[in-house]
Amino acid sequence: MHESVIALGIVREIDKHVKSSGPPARIRVVLGELQNVDEVVLGEYMKMYLEEQGLREVDYVFEWEKARFRCSACGYEWSLDELGLTDSERETIHFLPEAIYAIVKCPKCGSRVYDVLSGRGVRIVIEEKER
Ligand SMILES: [Zn+2]
């Protein structure tokens, strides 16, 4: 369900850009590793909304952004890859991103107080056509 809301937000942003600056060369849709979003479903909604807006020709790609964390206690930075999580822990994080604070702790000092530096949310990067 929320893929449709995300897709609508993305398409509105693209539409605004096309109206003000013309069609972009390409759109990169950057999906955070901690964002519970189904790329296939999102793509279907985007296609539908782009067609509705008459933006069928807009070229876009999906990219996944890795999650990065920084410990508030010792300053260490890490990604999910170095934690050796089990598949079920990874799945839990994917479907319930709030669960990271129960599963993830600083690999250096064990603190559960840390900042999430990246890997959250969805954003778009607009690549302009060369003039
Ligand atoms: Zn630490």
Side-chain angles (χ1 to χ4, degrees):
M1 178 60 212
H2 79 161
E3 276 85 357
S4 73
V5 177
I6 294 171
L8 193 57
I10 292 169
V11 170
R12 281 192 180 140
E13 223 174 302
I14 295 172
D15 185 48
K16 219 194 298 174
H17 182 87
V18 169
K19 284 190 174 125
S20 64
S21 317
R26 200 171 65 143
I27 308 275
R28 285 156 51 206
V29 179
V30 184
L31 309 169
E33 190 178 18
L34 300 176
Q35 177 75 29
N36 171 16
V37 61
D38 185 321
E39 185 180 316
V40 176
V41 176
L42 183 64
E44 282 167 5
Y45 279 114
M46 277 189 64
K47 195 165 164 245
M48 187 177 91
Y49 292 135
L50 285 170
E51 280 192 19
E52 274 177 20
Q53 293 290 328
L55 297 170
R56 196 173 319 201
E57 71 288 351
V58 168
D59 188 21
Y60 64 90
V61 289
F62 289 122
E63 282 173 15
W64 285 91
E65 180 185 71
K66 290 269 179 201
R68 294 282 301 168
F69 306 87
R70 184 169 52 218
C71 179
S72 303
C74 74
Y76 186 70
E77 287 188 23
W78 73 93
S79 67
L80 286 182
D81 293 337
E82 46 187 292
L83 296 180
L85 297 175
T86 65
D87 286 348
S88 83
E89 283 171 331
R90 282 187 172 275
E91 208 158 283
T92 303
I93 289 171
H94 181 70
F95 287 107
L96 191 69
E98 307 80 55
I100 53 167
Y101 288 100
I103 294 169
V104 174
K105 57 185 180 186
C106 174
K108 275 274 183 288
C109 74
S111 170
R112 290 190 193 271
V113 182
Y114 49 80
D115 292 320
V116 180
L117 302 177
S118 63
R120 265 192 173 149
V122 176
R123 62 191 163 85
I124 68 170
V125 178
I126 294 169
E127 291 178 1
E128 298 287 357
K129 276 194 174 126
E130 296 195 16
R131 286 167 210 276

